[in-house]
Amino acid sequence: MRLCEKNASELISMLRKKECSAREITEDVLKRIDKTRNLNTYISINENALKNADSIDALIAEGCELPILAGIPVAVKDNISVKGMKMTCGSKMLQNYVAPYDSEAADRLKKAGAVLIGKTNMDEFGMGSASDTSVFGAVRNPVNADFSAGGSSGGSAAAVRSCSAVLALGSDTGGSVRQPSAFCGTVGFKPTYGTVSRYGLTAFASSLEQIGSIGRNCADTALLQRVICGYDSKDAVTAKYFSFSPLDENLKMNGIRAAVPRELFSENISDEVKTAVETALKLIEKNGAAVEFVDIPSLDYAVNAYYIISSAEASSNLSRFDGVRFGYRAENCTTLSELYERSRSEGFGKEVKRRIMLGTFVLTDGCFEAYYKRAVLAAKRITADISDILENYDIIVSPVYPTPPFLLGDKISPLQRYAADICTVSANLSGLPAVSLPCGKSRNELPIGIQFMGRRFADSRLLSIAAAFEKLNGGLC
Ligand code: GLN
């Protein structure tokens, strides 16, 4: 097995036993990146990656104690800033923008010794479910390049699956770490809101969004999550006393209580996905978990609430891109309003403009009460209803996405795309942790994911339960 194909935990132990060097790992990953260019996974590659790996090798040579992720190549979604590297957010608006500082997540990764290998392709400003709204073109699924890798963190999931990164960071506002993980067959984790700093993340909807981790198994994903989470004075919503405890490797499915909301198992879920998730449910039941179907009627409003709240926040967050302070600037403008108008019209893509318009509309006088306020009330109701369920159950289980990966270029209307976010958005509206992991395959041999949602701040326990399922199911699909 090539070095790039090994899991983080294996590489960590190999480095410590001097069975390979950090340079060899990074070189192998860079070779794989080169070989998989057709997938359009990366927007930019870190030119200092080998130098960074050499500094880890120097530590090893000196016999120093190694930080936890020393020498592990980690990819970073291109809306998370890494000092001195481009950060485009997949947009023409920021095509030439170079980040002047590190995000807190990147800073923690560097301190943990990770080699930040490159910045991954994504839907423009994180808006989408197929990584096809990027100005750099769509990401292709590593399992079958004719299909979508999912989105918006499609580049990160595809990088991990194709072994052109060992681990990757994504961001999840409404499912963008979990859904591409389901499509690519990786493990994608969206943490409890407030456990990972958003400092240096170009947020699309700040009240919903968290940076999350992608790995090829639960243990790797947990390792990355442990490094990036924790209190940060630069992000006022981060929790003061949270830390991610190591996974409980002895945890078994026996005695776990799983609730399956009927609303996330409706007629809109394709037969292939239903069958894969049902088979997984039978497996956990056979191994001692109690699986019960429950009703959470407020979930029917989740997609509506999500698109109103996220678009409202996007319209305000993206107002800073005005062609003056930074970002794309239209040329030969004669007035200030022409400069604003043309810079934004030319710099943003279609989907981003659609959301800015929707968001601006729901915040206008009159519509604010009718849409925005009601969406916030719906989100509160959903949060309360899910919390009630989680008083009696350890996890809420559902599909991740209603269909297996779809063909790139499939004609799906924006509204159909939005509706398909039904299974993932509630975790964001309620701020709860959720993980997507492989559970089966489609007729086309493409991965299908299952989602486990857990209690607030019980991130490590949720990933421990996911790891217990992974053991039963056999991992990567
Ligand atoms: N598909 C969702 C959307 O388009 C999720 C986006 C995300 O999580 N960044 O809004």
Side-chain angles (χ1 to χ4, degrees):
M1 192 192 265
R2 281 177 57 168
L3 286 173
C4 66
E5 292 166 354
K6 292 191 184 292
N7 296 332
S9 17
E10 293 172 273
L11 292 171
I12 287 170
S13 101
M14 284 179 75
L15 271 172
R16 280 159 179 74
K17 288 192 219 141
K18 301 200 169 88
E19 289 170 4
C20 68
S21 66
R23 173 172 266 268
E24 282 165 346
I25 299 173
T26 298
E27 268 174 355
D28 201 36
V29 167
L30 287 170
K31 264 189 218 148
R32 181 58 67 93
I33 291 175
D34 214 39
K35 269 268 149 58
T36 53
R37 288 212 181 272
N38 65 314
L39 301 176
N40 206 12
T41 310
Y42 283 93
I43 292 175
S44 49
I45 305 296
N46 182 3
E47 284 167 4
N48 293 319
L50 283 173
K51 232 199 256 162
N52 298 155
D54 287 342
S55 59
I56 298 295
D57 285 331
L59 287 181
I60 297 174
E62 284 165 26
C64 301
E65 198 174 322
L66 294 180
I68 179 164
L69 283 182
I72 303 300
V74 180
V76 178
K77 187 177 181 180
D78 209 21
N79 60 351
I80 300 170
S81 60
V82 175
K83 191 175 174 175
M85 287 191 75
K86 270 194 188 175
M87 182 180 63
T88 69
C89 296
S91 180
K92 180 175 172 185
M93 187 55 95
L94 289 175
Q95 207 160 359
N96 299 313
Y97 176 76
V98 176
Y101 64 94
D102 272 328
S103 56
E104 178 66 12
D107 186 48
R108 284 179 191 236
L109 280 174
K110 285 181 179 176
K111 286 185 179 132
V115 174
L116 303 186
I117 197 86
K119 306 293 297 291
T120 56
N121 201 355
M122 56 180 281
D123 279 305
E124 187 177 6
F125 286 102
M127 298 173 191
S129 316
S131 299
D132 60 353
T133 66
S134 166
V135 70
F136 302 99
V139 180
R140 296 183 170 275
N141 194 310
V143 181
N144 181 335
D146 292 336
F147 287 81
S148 166
S152 64
S153 315
S156 289
V160 170
R161 178 64 204 240
S162 62
C163 304
S164 54
V166 176
L167 298 167
L169 291 185
S171 67
D172 193 308
T173 313
S176 281
V177 162
R178 290 161 284 156
Q179 190 257 11
S181 288
F183 277 25
C184 294
T186 52
V187 177
F189 184 71
K190 195 290 278 183
T192 299
Y193 188 73
T195 59
V196 179
S197 170
R198 298 161 307 162
Y199 179 75
L201 163 70
T202 309
F204 133 38
S206 324
S207 80
L208 306 168
E209 193 155 354
Q210 282 286 276
I211 295 177
S213 303
I214 301 175
R216 288 195 282 270
N217 60 31
C218 293
D220 274 16
T221 304
L223 199 63
L224 181 55
Q225 198 54 39
R226 243 173 89 188
V227 169
I228 61 167
C229 73
Y231 173 70
D232 175 21
S233 59
K234 299 185 290 315
D235 180 352
V237 305
T238 48
K240 272 238 155 85
Y241 304 108
F242 178 84
S243 70
F244 192 98
S245 34
L247 291 192
D248 175 0
E249 284 170 17
N250 298 319
L251 192 144
K252 301 253 159 23
M253 272 296 163
N254 196 4
I256 295 293
R257 291 175 59 83
V260 186
R262 288 194 181 84
E263 292 76 10
L264 305 184
F265 230 84
S266 66
E267 64 285 357
N268 300 330
I269 308 294
S270 73
D271 288 342
E272 285 176 272
V273 170
K274 250 188 205 161
T275 309
V277 176
E278 272 164 5
T279 310
L281 288 172
K282 279 192 197 121
L283 181 67
I284 62 172
E285 215 169 7
K286 207 178 103 202
N287 282 275
V291 176
E292 283 169 27
F293 277 81
V294 296
D295 292 308
I296 315 180
S298 56
L299 292 184
D300 286 340
Y301 300 98
V303 168
N304 297 11
Y306 167 78
Y307 274 92
I308 291 171
I309 296 170
S310 65
S311 302
E313 292 187 24
S315 75
S316 139
N317 271 335
L318 270 55
S319 63
R320 76 190 75 172
F321 302 109
D322 54 8
V324 176
R325 286 168 286 184
F326 37 62
Y328 173 80
R329 177 180 297 179
E331 279 170 21
N332 304 323
C333 297
T334 46
T335 63
L336 185 61
S337 41
E338 189 192 349
L339 175 76
Y340 288 154
E341 229 173 274
R342 278 193 37 222
S343 298
R344 286 170 69 78
S345 305
E346 293 164 20
F348 288 134
K350 217 168 156 184
E351 183 59 29
V352 172
K353 283 183 208 159
R354 185 180 290 126
R355 303 220 191 177
I356 291 176
M357 284 194 284
L358 175 64
T360 307
F361 172 72
V362 298
L363 290 177
T364 51
D365 203 16
C367 291
F368 182 79
E369 303 277 328
Y371 295 102
Y372 184 77
K373 252 187 151 168
R374 285 165 82 179
V376 170
L377 285 177
K380 279 196 177 146
R381 180 61 191 269
I382 291 165
T383 308
D385 289 351
I386 293 179
S387 304
D388 281 351
I389 294 287
L390 287 172
E391 297 253 311
N392 297 315
Y393 296 90
D394 299 280
I395 48 171
I396 293 177
V397 182
S398 71
V400 181
Y401 202 70
T403 65
F406 41 79
L407 276 167
L408 271 173
D410 251 9
K411 288 273 167 277
I412 307 173
S413 74
L415 283 182
Q416 280 172 306
R417 280 264 169 96
Y418 299 170
D421 288 336
I422 174 72
C423 299
T424 46
V425 292
S426 308
N428 304 80
L429 292 170
S430 57
L432 296 177
V435 58
S436 157
L437 69 163
C439 77
K441 276 185 186 170
S442 71
R443 279 191 286 276
N444 295 323
E445 295 288 305
L446 286 150
I448 292 178
I450 189 168
Q451 175 176 261
F452 295 173
M453 200 189 318
R455 296 181 187 141
R456 191 176 307 280
F457 296 125
D459 296 42
S460 163
R461 179 167 158 79
L462 177 63
L463 264 171
S464 299
I465 298 174
F469 171 75
E470 182 181 71
K471 256 188 226 155
L472 296 175
N473 199 46
L476 209 67
C477 292

